[in-house]
Coordinates of all heavy atoms in Angstrom, one line a residue:
M1 N 84.7 -115.9 81.8 CA 84.4 -117.0 80.9 C 83.1 -116.7 80.1 O 82.2 -116.1 80.7 CB 84.2 -118.3 81.7 CG 84.2 -119.5 80.9 SD 84.2 -120.8 82.1 CE 84.9 -122.1 81.4
T2 N 83.0 -117.1 78.9 CA 81.8 -116.7 78.1 C 80.8 -117.9 78.2 O 81.2 -119.0 78.5 CB 82.2 -116.5 76.6 OG1 82.8 -117.8 76.1 CG2 83.2 -115.4 76.5
N3 N 79.6 -117.6 77.9 CA 78.6 -118.6 77.9 C 78.4 -119.3 76.6 O 77.4 -120.1 76.5 CB 77.2 -117.9 78.4 CG 76.8 -116.9 77.4 OD1 77.4 -116.6 76.4 ND2 75.7 -116.2 77.7
G4 N 79.2 -119.1 75.6 CA 79.2 -119.8 74.4 C 78.4 -119.1 73.3 O 78.4 -119.5 72.2
A5 N 77.7 -118.0 73.6 CA 76.9 -117.3 72.6 C 77.9 -116.4 71.9 O 78.7 -115.6 72.5 CB 75.8 -116.4 73.3
P6 N 77.9 -116.4 70.5 CA 78.8 -115.6 69.8 C 78.4 -114.1 69.9 O 77.2 -113.7 70.0 CB 78.6 -116.1 68.3 CG 77.3 -116.7 68.3 CD 77.0 -117.2 69.7
C7 N 79.4 -113.3 69.9 CA 79.1 -111.8 69.9 C 78.7 -111.3 68.5 O 79.1 -111.9 67.5 CB 80.4 -111.1 70.4 SG 80.3 -109.3 70.5
A8 N 77.9 -110.3 68.5 CA 77.4 -109.8 67.2 C 78.6 -109.3 66.3 O 78.5 -109.3 65.1 CB 76.4 -108.7 67.4
D9 N 79.7 -108.8 66.9 CA 80.8 -108.3 66.1 C 81.8 -109.3 65.6 O 82.7 -109.0 64.8 CB 81.6 -107.3 66.9 CG 80.7 -106.0 67.2 OD1 79.9 -105.7 66.3 OD2 81.0 -105.3 68.2
D10 N 81.6 -110.6 66.0 CA 82.5 -111.6 65.6 C 82.5 -111.9 64.1 O 83.5 -112.2 63.5 CB 82.2 -112.9 66.3 CG 82.6 -112.9 67.8 OD1 83.3 -112.0 68.1 OD2 82.1 -113.8 68.5
D11 N 81.3 -111.8 63.4 CA 81.2 -112.1 62.0 C 81.3 -110.9 61.1 O 81.1 -111.0 59.9 CB 79.8 -112.7 61.8 CG 79.7 -114.1 62.4 OD1 80.8 -114.7 62.6 OD2 78.6 -114.6 62.7
R12 N 81.7 -109.7 61.6 CA 81.8 -108.5 60.8 C 82.9 -108.7 59.7 O 82.7 -108.2 58.6 CB 82.0 -107.3 61.7 CG 80.8 -106.9 62.4 CD 81.1 -105.5 63.0 NE 80.7 -104.5 62.1 CZ 79.7 -103.7 62.4 NH1 79.0 -103.8 63.5 NH2 79.4 -102.8 61.5
G13 N 84.0 -109.3 60.1 CA 85.0 -109.5 59.1 C 84.6 -110.4 57.9 O 84.9 -110.0 56.8
R14 N 84.0 -111.5 58.3 CA 83.5 -112.4 57.2 C 82.4 -111.8 56.4 O 82.4 -111.9 55.2 CB 83.1 -113.7 57.8 CG 84.2 -114.6 58.1 CD 83.8 -115.9 58.6 NE 84.3 -116.1 60.0 CZ 83.7 -116.4 61.0 NH1 82.4 -116.7 60.9 NH2 84.2 -116.6 62.2
L15 N 81.5 -111.1 57.0 CA 80.4 -110.4 56.3 C 81.0 -109.3 55.4 O 80.5 -109.1 54.3 CB 79.4 -109.8 57.3 CG 78.2 -109.2 56.8 CD1 77.4 -110.2 56.0 CD2 77.3 -108.6 57.9
L16 N 82.0 -108.6 55.9 CA 82.6 -107.6 55.1 C 83.2 -108.2 53.8 O 83.1 -107.7 52.7 CB 83.7 -106.8 55.9 CG 84.4 -105.7 55.1 CD1 83.5 -104.6 54.8 CD2 85.6 -105.2 56.0
L17 N 83.9 -109.3 54.0 CA 84.5 -110.0 52.8 C 83.4 -110.5 51.8 O 83.6 -110.3 50.6 CB 85.3 -111.2 53.3 CG 86.0 -112.0 52.3 CD1 87.1 -111.1 51.6 CD2 86.6 -113.2 52.9
V18 N 82.3 -111.0 52.3 CA 81.2 -111.5 51.5 C 80.6 -110.3 50.7 O 80.3 -110.4 49.5 CB 80.2 -112.3 52.3 CG1 79.0 -112.5 51.5 CG2 80.8 -113.6 52.8
L19 N 80.4 -109.2 51.4 CA 79.7 -108.1 50.8 C 80.7 -107.3 49.9 O 80.2 -106.6 49.0 CB 79.1 -107.2 51.8 CG 78.0 -107.8 52.7 CD1 77.6 -106.8 53.8 CD2 76.8 -108.1 51.8
A20 N 81.9 -107.4 50.1 CA 82.9 -106.7 49.2 C 83.0 -107.3 47.9 O 83.4 -106.6 46.9 CB 84.3 -106.7 49.9
V21 N 82.7 -108.6 47.7 CA 82.8 -109.3 46.4 C 81.9 -108.7 45.4 O 82.4 -108.3 44.3 CB 82.6 -110.8 46.6 CG1 82.5 -111.5 45.2 CG2 83.7 -111.4 47.4
P22 N 80.6 -108.5 45.6 CA 79.8 -107.9 44.5 C 80.2 -106.5 44.3 O 80.2 -106.0 43.1 CB 78.4 -108.0 45.0 CG 78.4 -108.4 46.4 CD 79.8 -109.0 46.7
L23 N 80.5 -105.8 45.3 CA 80.9 -104.4 45.2 C 82.2 -104.2 44.3 O 82.3 -103.4 43.5 CB 81.1 -103.7 46.5 CG 80.9 -102.2 46.7 CD1 79.4 -101.9 46.2 CD2 81.1 -101.8 48.1
A24 N 83.2 -105.1 44.6 CA 84.4 -105.1 43.9 C 84.2 -105.5 42.4 O 84.8 -104.9 41.5 CB 85.4 -106.0 44.5
L25 N 83.4 -106.5 42.2 CA 83.1 -106.9 40.8 C 82.4 -105.9 40.0 O 82.7 -105.6 38.8 CB 82.3 -108.2 40.8 CG 83.0 -109.5 41.3 CD1 82.0 -110.7 41.3 CD2 84.2 -109.8 40.4
L26 N 81.4 -105.2 40.6 CA 80.8 -104.1 39.9 C 81.7 -102.9 39.6 O 81.6 -102.3 38.6 CB 79.5 -103.6 40.7 CG 78.4 -104.6 40.7 CD1 77.3 -104.2 41.7 CD2 77.7 -104.7 39.3
T27 N 82.6 -102.7 40.5 CA 83.6 -101.6 40.3 C 84.6 -102.0 39.2 O 84.9 -101.2 38.3 CB 84.4 -101.3 41.6 OG1 83.5 -101.0 42.6 CG2 85.4 -100.2 41.4
L28 N 84.9 -103.3 39.1 CA 85.8 -103.7 38.0 C 85.1 -103.6 36.6 O 85.7 -103.3 35.6 CB 86.3 -105.2 38.2 CG 87.3 -105.3 39.3 CD1 87.6 -106.8 39.6 CD2 88.6 -104.6 38.9
V29 N 83.8 -104.0 36.6 CA 83.0 -103.8 35.4 C 82.9 -102.3 35.0 O 83.1 -102.0 33.8 CB 81.6 -104.4 35.6 CG1 80.7 -104.0 34.4 CG2 81.7 -105.9 35.7
A30 N 82.7 -101.5 35.9 CA 82.7 -100.0 35.6 C 84.0 -99.6 35.1 O 84.1 -98.8 34.2 CB 82.3 -99.2 36.9
A31 N 85.1 -100.1 35.7 CA 86.5 -99.7 35.2 C 86.7 -100.2 33.8 O 87.3 -99.5 33.0 CB 87.5 -100.3 36.2
Y32 N 86.3 -101.4 33.5 CA 86.5 -101.9 32.2 C 85.7 -101.0 31.1 O 86.3 -100.7 30.1 CB 86.0 -103.4 32.1 CG 86.0 -103.9 30.7 CD1 87.1 -104.3 30.1 CD2 84.8 -103.9 29.9 CE1 87.2 -104.7 28.8 CE2 84.8 -104.4 28.6 CZ 86.0 -104.8 28.0 OH 86.0 -105.2 26.7
F33 N 84.5 -100.7 31.4 CA 83.7 -99.9 30.4 C 84.2 -98.5 30.3 O 84.2 -97.8 29.3 CB 82.2 -100.0 30.7 CG 81.7 -101.3 30.2 CD1 81.1 -102.2 31.2 CD2 81.6 -101.7 28.9 CE1 80.6 -103.4 30.8 CE2 81.1 -102.9 28.5 CZ 80.6 -103.8 29.4
R34 N 84.7 -97.9 31.5 CA 85.3 -96.6 31.4 C 86.5 -96.6 30.6 O 86.8 -95.7 29.8 CB 85.6 -96.1 32.9 CG 85.9 -94.7 33.0 CD 87.4 -94.4 33.0 NE 88.2 -95.4 33.7 CZ 89.5 -95.5 33.4 NH1 90.1 -94.8 32.5 NH2 90.2 -96.4 34.0
R35 N 87.4 -97.6 30.7 CA 88.6 -97.8 29.9 C 88.2 -97.9 28.4 O 88.9 -97.3 27.6 CB 89.4 -99.0 30.4 CG 90.6 -99.2 29.6 CD 91.4 -100.4 30.1 NE 92.5 -100.7 29.4 CZ 92.6 -101.6 28.4 NH1 91.6 -102.3 28.1 NH2 93.7 -101.8 27.8
T36 N 87.2 -98.7 28.2 CA 86.8 -98.8 26.8 C 86.3 -97.5 26.2 O 86.6 -97.1 25.1 CB 85.6 -99.8 26.7 OG1 86.1 -101.1 27.2 CG2 85.2 -100.1 25.2
A37 N 85.6 -96.7 27.0 CA 85.1 -95.4 26.5 C 86.2 -94.4 26.3 O 86.1 -93.6 25.3 CB 84.1 -94.8 27.6
L38 N 87.3 -94.5 27.1 CA 88.4 -93.6 26.9 C 89.3 -94.0 25.7 O 90.0 -93.2 25.1 CB 89.2 -93.5 28.2 CG 88.5 -92.8 29.3 CD1 89.4 -92.8 30.6 CD2 88.1 -91.4 28.9
R39 N 89.3 -95.3 25.4 CA 90.2 -95.8 24.3 C 89.6 -95.7 23.0 O 90.4 -95.7 22.0 CB 90.6 -97.2 24.6 CG 91.5 -97.3 25.9 CD 92.1 -98.7 26.0 NE 92.8 -99.0 24.7 CZ 94.0 -99.5 24.7 NH1 94.6 -99.7 25.8 NH2 94.6 -99.8 23.6
I40 N 88.3 -95.6 22.8 CA 87.7 -95.5 21.5 C 88.0 -94.1 21.0 O 87.7 -93.1 21.6 CB 86.2 -95.7 21.6 CG1 85.9 -97.2 22.0 CG2 85.5 -95.5 20.2 CD1 84.4 -97.4 22.3
R41 N 88.5 -94.1 19.8 CA 88.8 -92.8 19.1 C 88.1 -92.8 17.8 O 88.4 -93.6 16.9 CB 90.3 -92.6 18.9 CG 91.1 -92.6 20.1 CD 91.1 -91.3 20.7 NE 91.9 -91.3 22.0 CZ 91.5 -90.7 23.1 NH1 90.3 -90.2 23.2 NH2 92.2 -90.8 24.2
P42 N 87.2 -91.8 17.6 CA 86.6 -91.7 16.3 C 87.6 -91.2 15.2 O 88.5 -90.5 15.5 CB 85.5 -90.6 16.5 CG 85.4 -90.4 17.9 CD 86.6 -90.9 18.5
C43 N 87.4 -91.7 14.0 CA 88.3 -91.3 12.9 C 87.9 -89.9 12.3 O 88.7 -89.3 11.7 CB 88.2 -92.3 11.7 SG 88.8 -94.0 12.2
G44 N 86.7 -89.5 12.6 CA 86.3 -88.2 12.1 C 84.9 -87.9 12.6 O 84.2 -88.8 13.2
P45 N 84.3 -86.8 12.2 CA 83.0 -86.5 12.7 C 81.9 -87.4 12.0 O 80.8 -87.5 12.5 CB 82.8 -85.0 12.2 CG 83.9 -84.6 11.4 CD 85.0 -85.7 11.6
W46 N 82.3 -88.1 11.0 CA 81.3 -89.0 10.3 C 81.3 -90.4 10.9 O 80.5 -91.2 10.5 CB 81.8 -89.1 8.8 CG 83.2 -89.4 8.7 CD1 84.2 -88.4 8.5 CD2 83.9 -90.6 8.8 NE1 85.4 -89.0 8.4 CE2 85.3 -90.3 8.6 CE3 83.5 -91.9 9.0 CZ2 86.2 -91.3 8.7 CZ3 84.5 -92.9 9.0 CH2 85.8 -92.6 8.9
D47 N 82.2 -90.7 11.9 CA 82.3 -92.0 12.4 C 81.2 -92.3 13.5 O 81.5 -92.2 14.7 CB 83.7 -92.2 13.0 CG 84.1 -93.6 13.2 OD1 83.2 -94.5 13.0 OD2 85.2 -93.9 13.7
D48 N 80.0 -92.5 13.1 CA 78.9 -92.7 14.0 C 79.1 -94.0 14.9 O 78.6 -94.0 16.0 CB 77.6 -92.8 13.2 CG 77.2 -91.4 12.6 OD1 77.7 -90.4 13.1 OD2 76.5 -91.4 11.6
D49 N 79.7 -95.0 14.3 CA 79.8 -96.2 15.1 C 80.7 -96.0 16.3 O 80.5 -96.5 17.4 CB 80.4 -97.3 14.2 CG 79.4 -97.8 13.1 OD1 78.2 -97.6 13.4 OD2 79.9 -98.3 12.1
A50 N 81.8 -95.2 16.1 CA 82.7 -95.0 17.3 C 82.0 -94.1 18.3 O 82.1 -94.4 19.5 CB 83.9 -94.2 16.8
Y51 N 81.2 -93.1 17.9 CA 80.5 -92.3 18.9 C 79.4 -93.2 19.6 O 79.2 -93.0 20.8 CB 79.8 -91.1 18.2 CG 80.8 -90.1 17.8 CD1 81.1 -89.8 16.4 CD2 81.5 -89.4 18.7 CE1 82.0 -88.9 16.1 CE2 82.5 -88.4 18.4 CZ 82.7 -88.2 17.0 OH 83.6 -87.2 16.7
A52 N 78.8 -94.1 18.9 CA 77.8 -95.0 19.5 C 78.5 -95.9 20.5 O 78.0 -96.2 21.6 CB 77.1 -95.8 18.5
G53 N 79.7 -96.4 20.2 CA 80.5 -97.2 21.1 C 80.9 -96.4 22.4 O 80.9 -97.0 23.5
I54 N 81.2 -95.1 22.2 CA 81.6 -94.3 23.4 C 80.4 -94.2 24.3 O 80.5 -94.3 25.5 CB 82.1 -92.9 22.9 CG1 83.5 -93.1 22.2 CG2 82.2 -92.0 24.1 CD1 83.9 -91.8 21.5
V55 N 79.2 -93.9 23.7 CA 78.0 -93.7 24.5 C 77.6 -95.0 25.2 O 77.3 -95.0 26.4 CB 76.8 -93.2 23.6 CG1 75.5 -93.2 24.3 CG2 77.1 -91.8 23.1
L56 N 77.7 -96.1 24.5 CA 77.3 -97.4 25.1 C 78.3 -97.7 26.3 O 77.8 -98.1 27.3 CB 77.4 -98.5 24.1 CG 77.1 -99.9 24.6 CD1 75.6 -100.0 25.1 CD2 77.3 -100.9 23.5
S57 N 79.6 -97.5 26.1 CA 80.5 -97.8 27.1 C 80.3 -96.9 28.3 O 80.4 -97.3 29.5 CB 82.0 -97.6 26.6 OG 82.3 -98.6 25.6
C58 N 80.0 -95.6 28.1 CA 79.8 -94.7 29.2 C 78.5 -95.1 29.9 O 78.5 -95.1 31.2 CB 79.6 -93.3 28.7 SG 81.2 -92.6 28.1
V59 N 77.5 -95.4 29.2 CA 76.2 -95.8 29.9 C 76.4 -97.1 30.7 O 75.9 -97.2 31.9 CB 75.1 -96.0 28.8 CG1 73.9 -96.7 29.4 CG2 74.7 -94.7 28.2
L60 N 77.1 -98.0 30.2 CA 77.4 -99.3 30.9 C 78.3 -99.0 32.2 O 78.1 -99.6 33.2 CB 78.0 -100.3 30.0 CG 77.0 -100.9 29.0 CD1 77.7 -101.8 28.0 CD2 75.8 -101.6 29.6
A61 N 79.3 -98.1 32.0 CA 80.1 -97.8 33.2 C 79.3 -97.1 34.3 O 79.4 -97.4 35.5 CB 81.3 -96.9 32.7
I62 N 78.4 -96.2 33.9 CA 77.6 -95.5 34.8 C 76.6 -96.4 35.5 O 76.3 -96.4 36.7 CB 76.9 -94.3 34.2 CG1 77.9 -93.2 33.8 CG2 75.8 -93.7 35.1 CD1 77.4 -92.1 32.9
A63 N 76.0 -97.4 34.7 CA 75.1 -98.3 35.2 C 75.8 -99.3 36.2 O 75.2 -99.6 37.3 CB 74.5 -99.1 34.1
A64 N 77.0 -99.7 35.9 CA 77.7 -100.6 36.9 C 78.0 -99.9 38.2 O 77.9 -100.4 39.2 CB 78.9 -101.2 36.2
A65 N 78.4 -98.6 38.0 CA 78.7 -97.8 39.2 C 77.4 -97.5 40.0 O 77.5 -97.6 41.3 CB 79.4 -96.5 38.8
A66 N 76.3 -97.3 39.4 CA 75.1 -97.1 40.1 C 74.6 -98.4 40.8 O 74.1 -98.3 41.9 CB 74.0 -96.6 39.1
A67 N 74.9 -99.5 40.1 CA 74.5 -100.8 40.8 C 75.4 -101.0 42.0 O 74.9 -101.5 43.1 CB 74.7 -101.9 39.8
A68 N 76.7 -100.6 41.9 CA 77.6 -100.7 43.1 C 77.1 -99.8 44.2 O 77.1 -100.2 45.4 CB 79.0 -100.4 42.7
A69 N 76.6 -98.6 43.9 CA 76.1 -97.7 44.9 C 74.8 -98.2 45.5 O 74.5 -98.1 46.7 CB 75.9 -96.3 44.3
A70 N 74.0 -98.9 44.6 CA 72.7 -99.5 45.1 C 73.0 -100.6 46.1 O 72.3 -100.8 47.1 CB 71.9 -99.9 43.9
V71 N 74.0 -101.4 45.8 CA 74.4 -102.5 46.7 C 74.8 -102.0 48.0 O 74.4 -102.4 49.1 CB 75.5 -103.4 46.1 CG1 76.1 -104.3 47.1 CG2 74.9 -104.2 44.9
W72 N 75.6 -100.9 48.0 CA 76.0 -100.3 49.2 C 74.9 -99.6 50.0 O 74.9 -99.6 51.2 CB 77.1 -99.2 49.0 CG 77.5 -98.6 50.3 CD1 78.4 -99.1 51.1 CD2 77.1 -97.4 50.8 NE1 78.6 -98.2 52.2 CE2 77.7 -97.2 52.0 CE3 76.1 -96.4 50.4 CZ2 77.4 -96.1 52.8 CZ3 75.9 -95.3 51.2 CH2 76.5 -95.2 52.4
A73 N 73.9 -99.2 49.3 CA 72.8 -98.5 49.9 C 71.8 -99.4 50.7 O 71.0 -98.9 51.5 CB 71.9 -97.7 48.9
L74 N 72.0 -100.7 50.5 CA 71.2 -101.6 51.3 C 71.5 -101.5 52.8 O 72.7 -101.5 53.1 CB 71.4 -103.0 50.8 CG 70.9 -103.3 49.4 CD1 71.4 -104.7 48.9 CD2 69.4 -103.2 49.2
P75 N 70.6 -101.5 53.7 CA 70.9 -101.3 55.1 C 71.9 -102.3 55.7 O 72.8 -101.9 56.4 CB 69.5 -101.4 55.8 CG 68.6 -101.0 54.7 CD 69.1 -101.4 53.4
P76 N 71.8 -103.6 55.4 CA 72.8 -104.5 56.0 C 74.2 -104.2 55.5 O 75.1 -104.4 56.3 CB 72.3 -105.9 55.5 CG 70.9 -105.8 55.1 CD 70.7 -104.4 54.7
V77 N 74.3 -103.8 54.3 CA 75.6 -103.5 53.7 C 76.2 -102.2 54.4 O 77.4 -102.1 54.7 CB 75.6 -103.4 52.2 CG1 76.9 -103.1 51.6 CG2 75.0 -104.7 51.6
R78 N 75.3 -101.2 54.5 CA 75.8 -99.9 55.1 C 76.2 -100.1 56.5 O 77.1 -99.4 57.0 CB 74.6 -98.9 55.1 CG 74.5 -98.2 53.8 CD 73.7 -96.9 54.0 NE 72.6 -97.1 54.9 CZ 71.3 -97.1 54.6 NH1 71.0 -97.0 53.3 NH2 70.4 -97.3 55.5
R79 N 75.7 -101.1 57.3 CA 76.1 -101.3 58.6 C 77.5 -101.8 58.7 O 78.2 -101.6 59.7 CB 75.1 -102.2 59.3 CG 73.9 -101.5 59.9 CD 73.1 -102.5 60.7 NE 71.8 -102.5 59.9 CZ 71.1 -103.6 59.7 NH1 71.5 -104.8 60.2 NH2 70.0 -103.6 59.0
V80 N 77.9 -102.5 57.7 CA 79.2 -103.2 57.8 C 80.3 -102.4 57.0 O 81.4 -102.4 57.5 CB 79.1 -104.6 57.2 CG1 80.4 -105.3 57.2 CG2 78.1 -105.4 58.0
M81 N 79.9 -101.8 55.9 CA 80.9 -101.2 55.0 C 80.8 -99.7 55.1 O 79.7 -99.1 55.0 CB 80.7 -101.6 53.6 CG 80.8 -103.1 53.4 SD 80.4 -103.6 51.7 CE 82.1 -103.5 51.1
P82 N 81.9 -99.0 55.2 CA 81.9 -97.5 55.3 C 81.5 -97.0 53.9 O 81.6 -97.6 52.9 CB 83.3 -97.1 55.7 CG 84.1 -98.3 55.6 CD 83.3 -99.5 55.5
W83 N 81.2 -95.7 53.9 CA 80.7 -95.1 52.6 C 81.8 -95.0 51.6 O 81.5 -95.0 50.4 CB 80.2 -93.6 52.9 CG 81.3 -92.7 53.4 CD1 81.6 -92.5 54.7 CD2 82.2 -92.0 52.6 NE1 82.7 -91.6 54.7 CE2 83.0 -91.3 53.5 CE3 82.3 -91.8 51.2 CZ2 84.0 -90.4 53.0 CZ3 83.3 -90.9 50.8 CH2 84.1 -90.2 51.7
W84 N 83.1 -95.0 51.9 CA 84.1 -94.8 50.9 C 84.3 -96.0 50.1 O 85.1 -96.0 49.1 CB 85.4 -94.3 51.6 CG 85.9 -95.1 52.8 CD1 85.6 -94.9 54.1 CD2 86.6 -96.3 52.7 NE1 86.2 -95.8 54.9 CE2 86.8 -96.8 54.1 CE3 87.1 -97.1 51.7 CZ2 87.5 -97.9 54.4 CZ3 87.8 -98.3 52.1 CH2 88.0 -98.7 53.4
W85 N 83.7 -97.1 50.4 CA 83.8 -98.3 49.5 C 83.2 -98.0 48.1 O 83.5 -98.6 47.1 CB 83.1 -99.5 50.1 CG 83.9 -100.3 51.1 CD1 84.2 -100.0 52.4 CD2 84.6 -101.5 50.7 NE1 85.0 -100.9 52.9 CE2 85.3 -101.9 51.9 CE3 84.8 -102.2 49.6 CZ2 86.1 -103.0 51.9 CZ3 85.6 -103.4 49.6 CH2 86.2 -103.7 50.8
T86 N 82.2 -97.1 48.1 CA 81.6 -96.7 46.8 C 82.4 -95.7 46.0 O 82.1 -95.4 44.9 CB 80.2 -96.2 47.0 OG1 80.2 -95.1 47.8 CG2 79.3 -97.3 47.5
G87 N 83.4 -95.1 46.7 CA 84.2 -94.0 46.1 C 84.8 -94.3 44.7 O 84.6 -93.6 43.7
P88 N 85.5 -95.4 44.6 CA 86.1 -95.7 43.2 C 85.1 -95.9 42.1 O 85.2 -95.4 41.0 CB 86.9 -97.1 43.5 CG 87.2 -97.1 44.9 CD 86.0 -96.4 45.6
A89 N 84.0 -96.6 42.5 CA 82.9 -96.7 41.4 C 82.3 -95.4 41.0 O 82.0 -95.2 39.9 CB 81.8 -97.7 42.0
L90 N 82.1 -94.5 42.0 CA 81.5 -93.2 41.7 C 82.4 -92.3 40.9 O 82.0 -91.6 40.1 CB 81.0 -92.6 43.0 CG 79.8 -93.3 43.7 CD1 79.5 -92.6 45.0 CD2 78.6 -93.5 42.8
L91 N 83.7 -92.5 41.2 CA 84.7 -91.7 40.5 C 84.8 -92.2 39.0 O 84.9 -91.4 38.1 CB 86.1 -91.9 41.1 CG 87.3 -91.2 40.5 CD1 87.0 -89.7 40.5 CD2 88.6 -91.5 41.1
L92 N 84.7 -93.5 38.8 CA 84.7 -94.1 37.5 C 83.4 -93.6 36.7 O 83.5 -93.3 35.5 CB 84.7 -95.6 37.5 CG 86.0 -96.2 38.0 CD1 85.8 -97.7 38.3 CD2 87.1 -96.0 37.0
A93 N 82.3 -93.5 37.4 CA 81.1 -93.0 36.8 C 81.2 -91.5 36.4 O 80.7 -91.1 35.3 CB 79.9 -93.2 37.7
A94 N 81.9 -90.8 37.2 CA 82.1 -89.3 36.9 C 82.9 -89.2 35.7 O 82.7 -88.3 34.8 CB 82.7 -88.6 38.1
V95 N 84.0 -90.0 35.6 CA 84.9 -89.9 34.4 C 84.1 -90.3 33.2 O 84.2 -89.7 32.1 CB 86.1 -90.8 34.6 CG1 86.9 -90.9 33.3 CG2 87.0 -90.2 35.7
A96 N 83.3 -91.3 33.3 CA 82.5 -91.8 32.1 C 81.5 -90.7 31.7 O 81.2 -90.5 30.5 CB 81.8 -93.1 32.4
A97 N 80.9 -90.0 32.7 CA 79.9 -89.0 32.4 C 80.6 -87.8 31.7 O 80.0 -87.2 30.8 CB 79.3 -88.5 33.7
V98 N 81.8 -87.5 32.1 CA 82.5 -86.4 31.4 C 82.9 -86.8 30.0 O 82.7 -86.0 29.1 CB 83.8 -86.0 32.2 CG1 84.8 -85.1 31.4 CG2 83.4 -85.4 33.5
R99 N 83.3 -88.0 29.8 CA 83.6 -88.5 28.5 C 82.4 -88.5 27.6 O 82.4 -88.1 26.4 CB 84.2 -90.0 28.6 CG 84.4 -90.6 27.2 CD 85.5 -90.0 26.4 NE 85.8 -90.8 25.3 CZ 86.2 -90.4 24.1 NH1 86.4 -89.1 24.0 NH2 86.5 -91.2 23.2
W100 N 81.2 -88.9 28.2 CA 80.0 -88.9 27.4 C 79.6 -87.5 27.1 O 79.1 -87.2 25.9 CB 78.9 -89.6 28.3 CG 77.6 -89.8 27.6 CD1 77.3 -89.6 26.3 CD2 76.4 -90.4 28.2 NE1 76.0 -90.0 26.0 CE2 75.5 -90.5 27.2 CE3 76.1 -90.8 29.5 CZ2 74.2 -90.9 27.4 CZ3 74.8 -91.2 29.7 CH2 73.9 -91.3 28.7
A101 N 79.8 -86.6 28.0 CA 79.4 -85.2 27.8 C 80.3 -84.5 26.7 O 79.8 -83.7 25.9 CB 79.4 -84.4 29.1
T102 N 81.6 -84.8 26.7 CA 82.4 -84.2 25.7 C 82.3 -84.9 24.4 O 82.4 -84.2 23.3 CB 83.9 -84.3 26.2 OG1 84.3 -85.6 26.4 CG2 84.1 -83.5 27.5
G103 N 82.2 -86.2 24.4 CA 81.9 -86.9 23.1 C 83.1 -86.9 22.1 O 82.9 -87.3 21.0
T104 N 84.2 -86.5 22.5 CA 85.4 -86.4 21.6 C 86.4 -87.4 22.0 O 86.6 -87.8 23.1 CB 86.0 -85.0 21.5 OG1 86.4 -84.6 22.8 CG2 85.0 -84.1 20.9

């Protein structure tokens, strides 16, 4: 019989759910801007607005992925969530970085 004191592991599921929300939202933001960066097509080498849009989308995708990694890097979050939760956001950041580097 238990003495009524909750075990420390009882709330891990709820805590995981609460911490997954900002991580998932930041990953979705990174995915949106990565998609935007890949869909923008310049009409020619003179199309500076399209190139600026690509750079802005890539920077925002990388920033959102970095924010997701920063949320995961907090000690309370790391105790509950495994490292692979940041994988999709970091993959999106890598794709955005490649798009930014190629610029075409």
Side-chain angles (χ1 to χ4, degrees):
M1 195 172 205
T2 63
N3 61 1
C7 182
D9 290 335
D10 287 345
D11 291 334
R12 285 189 92 113
R14 281 186 239 129
L15 184 60
L16 179 66
L17 182 64
V18 168
L19 294 174
V21 170
L23 209 58
L25 289 176
L26 287 168
T27 302
L28 286 174
V29 169
Y32 172 77
F33 285 114
R34 191 264 326 155
R35 179 179 178 264
T36 303
L38 292 176
R39 292 191 55 134
I40 296 174
R41 298 280 180 226
C43 293
W46 48 265
D47 197 359
D48 292 334
D49 292 336
Y51 288 114
I54 292 169
V55 170
L56 179 64
S57 294
C58 290
V59 167
L60 291 174
I62 293 169
V71 166
W72 178 82
L74 296 171
V77 179
R78 273 197 326 248
R79 275 185 245 139
V80 177
M81 302 178 89
W83 64 269
W84 50 264
W85 273 82
T86 59
L90 296 177
L91 181 64
L92 291 167
V95 171
V98 168
R99 173 68 168 149
W100 188 5
T102 59
T104 57

